[in-house]
């Protein structure tokens, strides 16, 4: 499983990379300012998101506000071309593997990128320390 971190040089991207390194999850990083996503890559990301463009566009970003956008007025093709020209419109980081996508750093959700065996081991360790013991 290859995890890819698409991001800007920001705190959330740094936290994501540190977390993945600490846990030992291999990843590939791509700075979207230096190498913007292609339309095809954006389409692939959009196929994975549950919230469509709202899940990946940073509507509170300075770039979004400066462009004075109304996403609903743009066609999907126009939006993808705009994102290529202004990569800061994307939330950062966007973390993907073959099956999952997460936009932004959220510590409780990033665990989905742990290998299943690791998640199971962590759950067992946590439950042994936090769940009450059953009395016979």
């Amino acid at each position: 499983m290859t995890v890819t971190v698409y991001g800007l040089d920001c705190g959330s991207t740094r936290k994501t990379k540190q977390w993945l390194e600490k846990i030992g999850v291999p990843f590939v990083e791509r700075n979207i300012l230096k190498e913007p996503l292609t339309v095809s890559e954006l389409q692939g990301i959009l196929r994975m998101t549950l919230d469509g463009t709202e899940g990946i566009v940073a509507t509170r970003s300075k770039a979004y506000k400066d462009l004075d956008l109304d996403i609903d007025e743009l066609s999907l093709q126009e939006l993808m071309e705009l994102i290529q020209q202004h990569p800061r419109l994307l939330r950062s980081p966007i973390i993907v593997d073959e099956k999952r996508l997460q936009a932004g750093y959220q510590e409780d959700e990033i665990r989905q990128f742990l290998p299943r065996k690791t998640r199971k081991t962590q759950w067992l360790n946590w439950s042994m320390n936090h769940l009450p013991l059953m009395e016979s």
Side-chain angles (χ1 to χ4, degrees), residues 3-64:
V3 173
T4 303
V5 178
Y6 298 105
L8 304 167
D9 188 20
C10 66
S12 293
T13 300
R14 283 190 294 276
K15 282 183 191 178
T16 297
K17 294 186 310 185
Q18 289 170 352
W19 187 88
L20 292 168
E21 288 168 353
K22 177 181 167 187
I23 300 298
V25 174
F27 66 93
V28 176
E29 176 188 5
R30 179 150 153 211
N31 183 314
I32 60 174
L33 286 179
K34 294 178 182 171
E35 191 180 346
L37 295 169
T38 65
V39 169
S40 176
E41 289 169 324
L42 285 167
Q43 289 170 333
I45 287 171
L46 281 171
R47 277 193 288 276
M48 296 179 76
T49 170
L50 298 174
D51 300 325
T53 57
E54 290 179 19
I56 63 167
V57 174
T59 55
R60 295 184 301 189
S61 70
K62 182 177 180 340
Y64 186 87

Side-chain angles (χ1 to χ4, degrees), residues 25-104:
V25 174
F27 66 93
V28 176
E29 176 188 5
R30 179 150 153 211
N31 183 314
I32 60 174
L33 286 179
K34 294 178 182 171
E35 191 180 346
L37 295 169
T38 65
V39 169
S40 176
E41 289 169 324
L42 285 167
Q43 289 170 333
I45 287 171
L46 281 171
R47 277 193 288 276
M48 296 179 76
T49 170
L50 298 174
D51 300 325
T53 57
E54 290 179 19
I56 63 167
V57 174
T59 55
R60 295 184 301 189
S61 70
K62 182 177 180 340
Y64 186 87
K65 291 174 183 169
D66 287 349
L67 290 169
D68 194 28
L69 291 177
D70 183 354
I71 293 180
D72 296 330
E73 291 182 4
L74 300 173
S75 72
L76 188 55
Q77 185 66 32
E78 290 171 327
L79 179 60
M80 287 190 278
E81 289 171 3
L82 200 57
I83 289 171
Q84 280 189 301
Q85 295 167 12
H86 304 277
R88 291 184 187 276
L89 288 173
L90 288 175
R91 292 183 65 191
S92 182
I94 295 176
I95 312 156
V96 297
D97 67 10
E98 292 82 16
K99 300 176 189 173
R100 294 169 284 263
L101 175 136
Q102 178 180 326

